[in-house]
Amino acid sequence: MEKCGVLIGKTNDELNDVTLCKEKELRELVEKYSQQHIFGHWDKLSKEQKAYLLNQISKIDFELMKRLTEIWIFNTPKPEVFNQIIPIPVISLNSSEDSREKEAYDCGEETLKLSEVGLFMVAGGQGTRLGFDKPKGTFPIGPVTKKSLFQYHAEKIINIQKRYNIELPWYIMVSETNELDTKNFFEQNDYFTLKKSNVIFATQSMVPCLDERGKFMLESPYSIAMNPNGHGGTIQTIIEKGLMEDMENRGIKFLSYFQVDNWAVKVADPRFIGYHVLNNAEMSSKIIRKNSLREAVGVHCICDNEYRVIEYSELDIYPQLLELNPDGSIKFYAGNPAMHIITIGFVKKVYNRFKDFPWHRAHKKIPYIDDSGNLIKPEKPNGYKFETFIFDALRYTSHHPVALEIQREGEYTPIKQLTGENSIESARKSMTKMWAKWLKKSGYNMDEYIAHREHYIEITPVFALTEEEFLKKSRNFNWQIPSTSFAIDEQGNLITT
Ligand code: UTP
């Protein structure tokens, strides 16, 4: 067997030998933390499988898992107590009359033209609620064109690059579970005509799931059930996976952070960037007005002088957050749609606090292998996944960050499931409504069309990213609006199914 240690220039087989060399050391570690059951099928494993398991073990932060077990499994964590919770100051939607609005927009455009903005998209999630077995970004969201979510985001980038004559680097956080499929999808689609060197993937870390006794679970005889460490992993990934160096080499100062599953998201929005820059903010957020007291979105607020986002599942712990204003409106209305501008200096600063980030626990149905090697698919939650959240970085800002109110339509269509709230279906309806309004403003009678609820519209962001751009370009066309679903392509051709 090879001597342990030197990895460079080795074949896979030799690498496996190097990993196997660590068996004794890793077994001791696993025993120290009472997780030795994960070697239960060891004798039946092939050399590759043994190496796979040992490799997984070598990446686990056992001290962290011990801490999580003590906090969450052997005890019930006490909720934080706050003496005072107050609403955050918000730049509201009607501030368009405000003279700063134009100043912010111009400043944002200037920042973009200086190539100081990069895009950071989180796409490492498991997308369990959607039940789609490929990365969520590959979902054919376009009802007519079947274009994927990835392609839609790419088309927005194509438009912005052309508009400002810039190159926008697109950082994409993936996880071990979807990395290969995501990269292959970009390859197969020729990076949607973007420059390959401007699409930068980085893989976030994974954490083991725990069963209800705090034990690791095997998802196969040779692999531990793990999940990506949450979108808070952004901070760690930027620093530890070499993205910060890439950003600095490109002169990037600000990141436009968004989630892959928000089809409508305005990436690199000049207005948002501008407010962030003018306020010298470290991390800014867009906010949506909650449409009900208990809407399932986090709430931005200030708790004992610290900026926080409180999860909707914690509303009953902090009943102040359910208070109404004297006129009956929601007092803490600032819902979190997960869109941020982050100064890269702040990423460095907050990385030093990453170990203090709270871990959030979710009780889930986690398939596992039993002692006889049978795969069990539980019918009710049987274990826990632990994640960090990006919005927990907000508490480390040194002055109160910008919170910019937005309208949902045209900006917020999260896709969590196939039908119902926050679904493929609701996103398609919302986008159709917005694009129908654009057409109506261009002089087309869309009333009958909109009444047909099963019809959808798509307008590629390469043709028009904004209503203003659409109104300008549409003057050159005289479309015959069909009585079926339709799309408008890059050249302005109207396509039906
Ligand atoms: P969600 O928390 O909605 O999770 O992620 P999800 O994976 O999309 O779906 P479920 O909960 O399993 O059904 C919000 C965004 O954060 C990303 C997701 O890819 C999505 O864009 N994310 C989430 C990560 O990048 N990494 C993670 O560890 C978790």
Side-chain angles (χ1 to χ4, degrees):
M1 191 178 269
E2 288 281 336
K3 267 177 85 80
C4 292
V6 189
L7 298 176
I8 299 161
K10 297 230 176 281
T11 63
N12 271 349
D13 205 35
E14 287 167 336
L15 281 175
N16 284 341
D17 285 338
V18 173
T19 312
L20 290 169
C21 261
K22 297 191 187 134
E23 182 187 336
K24 187 169 173 297
E25 175 196 328
L26 292 173
R27 268 187 187 269
E28 280 168 13
L29 183 67
V30 166
E31 273 166 35
K32 180 174 163 203
Y33 291 92
S34 307
Q35 299 286 1
Q36 54 274 29
H37 62 285
I38 57 176
F39 287 107
H41 305 276
W42 185 256
D43 293 341
K44 291 179 227 129
L45 302 185
S46 67
K47 180 175 163 184
E48 287 72 27
Q49 290 172 334
K50 285 180 177 167
Y52 186 93
L53 180 59
L54 291 178
N55 191 33
Q56 242 191 342
I57 295 169
S58 69
K59 290 190 201 156
I60 294 174
D61 182 343
F62 281 86
E63 269 306 305
L64 168 69
M65 297 319 293
K66 184 178 165 210
R67 188 154 56 91
L68 293 178
T69 311
E70 273 160 12
I71 297 174
W72 284 103
I73 313 261
F74 297 147
N75 290 292
T76 311
K78 288 204 180 64
E80 284 178 276
V81 178
F82 301 116
N83 293 319
Q84 188 199 42
I85 304 185
I86 54 170
I88 51 157
V90 172
I91 302 171
S92 67
L93 267 178
N94 51 25
S95 70
S96 45
E97 291 138 34
D98 178 353
S99 63
R100 288 201 80 201
E101 186 76 5
K102 178 162 174 5
E103 194 189 346
Y105 196 89
D106 292 348
C107 169
E109 288 206 309
E110 204 46 45
T111 311
L112 278 163
K113 285 182 199 155
L114 288 170
S115 293
E116 290 180 348
V117 179
L119 304 176
F120 195 93
M121 182 176 79
V122 288
Q126 294 175 306
T128 38
R129 284 168 287 174
L130 187 60
F132 179 60
D133 63 356
K134 299 191 193 79
K136 226 191 226 183
T138 67
F139 190 91
I141 187 66
V144 181
T145 60
K146 307 288 176 249
K147 283 180 189 170
S148 62
L149 278 164
F150 284 140
Q151 178 156 359
Y152 259 96
H153 295 318
E155 291 187 353
K156 294 175 203 172
I157 298 171
I158 292 168
N159 183 308
I160 298 167
Q161 294 196 138
K162 199 162 154 218
R163 180 182 294 216
Y164 298 115
N165 192 22
I166 53 167
E167 290 187 11
L168 256 183
W170 186 11
Y171 299 95
I172 303 179
M173 185 167 83
V174 290
S175 57
E176 280 170 24
T177 35
N178 65 16
E179 174 184 7
L180 204 65
D181 285 343
T182 303
K183 288 180 177 169
N184 284 343
F185 192 77
F186 272 77
E187 280 289 335
Q188 285 152 11
N189 288 284
D190 197 21
Y191 290 76
F192 311 104
T193 76
L194 293 169
K195 253 196 204 168
K196 190 172 168 176
S197 57
N198 288 338
V199 181
I200 307 108
F201 297 97
T203 310
Q204 67 181 119
S205 303
M206 306 282 280
V207 279
C209 306
L210 295 178
D211 73 9
E212 285 162 340
R213 296 165 307 137
K215 298 290 180 196
F216 294 171
M217 305 165 84
L218 285 175
E219 67 176 5
S220 82
Y222 63 92
S223 60
I224 301 165
M226 310 256 255
N227 63 273
N229 66 348
H231 39 65
T234 296
I235 302 295
Q236 188 188 33
T237 305
I238 291 176
I239 303 290
E240 293 182 8
K241 300 292 165 82
L243 297 187
M244 182 56 81
E245 280 143 44
D246 186 89
M247 289 167 189
E248 286 179 337
N249 289 340
R250 291 172 191 256
I252 300 298
K253 295 194 178 144
F254 309 100
L255 294 175
S256 165
Y257 168 99
F258 63 101
Q259 303 191 332
V260 66
D261 58 4
N262 183 5
W263 183 14
V265 65
K266 281 188 184 170
V267 305
D269 175 8
R271 174 173 174 257
F272 191 24
I273 297 166
Y275 272 115
H276 178 89
V277 174
L278 289 178
N279 284 282
N280 203 13
E282 292 175 312
M283 179 166 170
S284 299
S285 312
K286 284 190 173 175
I287 63 110
I288 45 169
R289 199 167 276 269
K290 277 178 32 163
N291 54 24
S292 68
L293 253 188
R294 288 187 179 273
E295 186 184 352
V297 287
V299 181
H300 288 244
C301 52
I302 295 170
C303 303
D304 292 347
N305 216 28
E306 209 171 63
Y307 198 107
R308 294 292 183 108
V309 177
I310 305 280
E311 282 186 89
Y312 64 89
S313 54
E314 294 183 346
L315 284 179
D316 289 311
I317 301 174
Y318 306 107
Q320 304 96 305
L321 295 175
L322 295 169
E323 279 171 16
L324 297 176
N325 289 317
D327 66 359
S329 58
I330 299 174
K331 185 169 172 191
F332 289 87
Y333 65 84
N336 181 36
M339 303 166 200
H340 303 283
I341 303 292
I342 309 175
T343 299
I344 69 160
F346 179 65
V347 177
K348 283 189 195 167
K349 173 175 143 181
V350 92
Y351 174 68
N352 297 324
R353 309 295 303 270
F354 190 65
K355 60 177 182 344
D356 304 327
F357 265 48
W359 285 83
H360 302 257
R361 182 185 74 159
H363 203 193
K364 298 267 184 185
K365 291 184 218 162
I366 303 168
Y368 66 99
I369 293 285
D370 69 9
D371 293 346
S372 325
N374 304 312
L375 178 66
I376 312 291
K377 289 189 176 166
E379 284 179 1
K380 52 182 184 35
N382 62 326
Y384 299 104
K385 290 186 178 180
F386 294 90
E387 291 188 324
T388 55
F389 292 160
I390 188 67
F391 56 68
D392 283 317
L394 283 160
R395 68 182 65 178
Y396 301 115
T397 48
S398 47
H399 46 276
H400 290 325
V402 171
L404 186 64
E405 184 184 353
I406 55 161
Q407 243 160 356
R408 292 170 192 241
E409 195 177 283
E411 291 222 40
Y412 184 58
T413 55
I415 292 169
K416 304 295 176 193
Q417 45 189 351
L418 277 174
T419 54
E421 214 178 315
N422 297 338
S423 65
I424 299 283
E425 195 182 34
S426 62
R428 285 179 174 162
K429 285 198 170 132
S430 166
M431 295 303 277
T432 294
K433 202 166 151 206
M434 177 186 81
W435 283 320
K437 276 189 196 158
W438 291 8
L439 282 153
K440 194 171 172 184
K441 281 204 179 160
S442 310
Y444 294 88
N445 183 352
M446 302 302 291
D447 297 341
E448 205 180 312
Y449 191 91
I450 294 168
H452 264 277
R453 302 180 130 239
E454 68 275 21
H455 291 162
Y456 293 113
I457 302 176
E458 276 183 77
I459 296 175
T460 164
V462 180
F463 182 76
L465 190 57
T466 59
E467 181 183 291
E468 194 189 12
E469 189 179 11
F470 185 78
L471 295 183
K472 213 155 123 197
K473 281 196 169 175
S474 62
R475 283 189 215 126
N476 305 322
F477 297 88
N478 184 13
W479 293 300
Q480 295 302 314
I481 304 297
S483 53
T484 55
S485 293
F486 69 91
I488 293 177
D489 76 5
E490 291 77 350
Q491 281 82 39
N493 301 312
L494 192 148
I495 306 159
T496 53
T497 38

